[in-house]
Amino acid sequence: MSLNDFLLHSDAISRSLALLLLVLSVGSWVIMFWKWRLLARVGLDLPRSIAAFWQAPAFDDAQQRVAQFDRDACITPLLAATLLPVGGTLASAGDRHPQLTRVLRDALQSVVMRLQWGQVWLATAGAISPFVGLLGTVWGIFNALTGMVDGGPLTIDKVAGPVGEALIMTAAGLAVAIPAVLGYNVLGRQINQIEAQLEGFAHDLRALLAEPQA
């Protein structure tokens, strides 16, 4: 069945379901391509940024060195968060160690949330696309059988064509869901690896800055 045949023989509901699958598919591929480039770049920059920090002679110099490698701002927010607030507020109350823990945790969560952008779309597309396709198939078969009622007795020849055309919606739903699920799992694994590196750096940075100043 060609696209023109589908548009001629389908109703508004079938077209809406097909459009929904198209939107989910295009959105998923755009997100996967964008996130693949982003995470690949972060995966290269992160070890360089961490190495540049620890090789610096002083903290201020380390910030400048890290900025040269940290193109997607994964390390610099952690360093900026260590500039603790001035006195007179609850944020500055307590010892330096818990203050650093709080600000580094908040900065780390902000970075990870930015890296996780789009994962909800991929999870949603992977979860609902098969059901959208199945709904399109059921609706298409219903319409096909309803249209045959007035055309005389049903035969296998009359049923096979419309039913086969309706099953295309199920295949379309799977074609949308499978790449989305694969992308969600692969990209999620990369995000987890980056998050583990950031957590380790934040832990080491807190231990460094929490030491009593001479």
Side-chain angles (χ1 to χ4, degrees):
M1 182 179 64
S2 65
L3 178 60
N4 186 54
D5 292 334
F6 174 80
L7 294 176
L8 289 176
H9 294 91
S10 61
D11 58 6
I13 295 179
S14 297
R15 295 174 185 175
S16 299
L17 294 174
L19 179 61
L20 177 58
L21 288 177
L22 178 62
V23 171
L24 290 173
S25 178
V26 172
S28 297
W29 282 106
V30 170
I31 289 173
M32 286 188 291
F33 179 74
W34 175 78
K35 287 182 67 69
W36 174 78
R37 292 188 60 188
L38 171 66
L39 297 178
R41 191 167 58 240
V42 172
L44 291 175
D45 291 348
L46 190 57
R48 298 174 182 176
S49 300
I50 294 176
F53 177 85
W54 293 115
Q55 291 172 4
F59 187 83
D60 292 338
D61 185 62
Q63 287 183 299
Q64 297 178 1
R65 294 191 180 188
V66 168
Q68 299 176 3
F69 298 99
D70 195 22
R71 291 177 289 180
D72 295 286
C74 292
I75 294 293
T76 50
L78 302 181
L79 302 180
T82 59
L83 302 177
L84 299 177
V86 297
T89 62
L90 291 176
S92 62
D95 296 333
R96 181 175 177 82
H97 191 279
Q99 291 183 50
L100 288 170
T101 300
R102 182 179 62 253
V103 297
L104 286 173
R105 181 189 63 233
D106 293 342
L108 178 61
Q109 289 177 349
S110 177
V111 173
V112 173
M113 288 180 62
R114 178 158 49 86
L115 295 176
Q116 289 178 338
W117 185 90
Q119 291 293 99
V120 174
W121 178 283
L122 296 179
T124 303
I128 71 173
S129 293
F131 298 102
V132 174
L134 181 60
L135 177 59
T137 295
V138 173
W139 186 257
I141 293 175
F142 171 77
N143 286 338
L145 295 178
T146 302
M148 294 176 186
V149 171
D150 298 330
L154 297 181
T155 63
I156 190 62
D157 295 336
K158 294 182 179 180
V159 175
V163 170
E165 294 174 354
L167 289 174
I168 294 177
M169 288 292 291
T170 297
L174 294 175
V176 175
I178 292 174
V181 171
L182 291 176
Y184 176 83
N185 291 332
V186 173
L187 296 173
R189 182 174 181 272
Q190 291 180 302
I191 293 173
N192 290 337
Q193 292 175 344
I194 293 173
E195 182 179 2
Q197 295 183 64
L198 289 173
E199 287 180 350
F201 176 75
H203 181 273
D204 295 338
L205 181 61
R206 181 189 60 183
L208 172 68
L209 298 178
E211 293 294 330
Q213 302 296 320

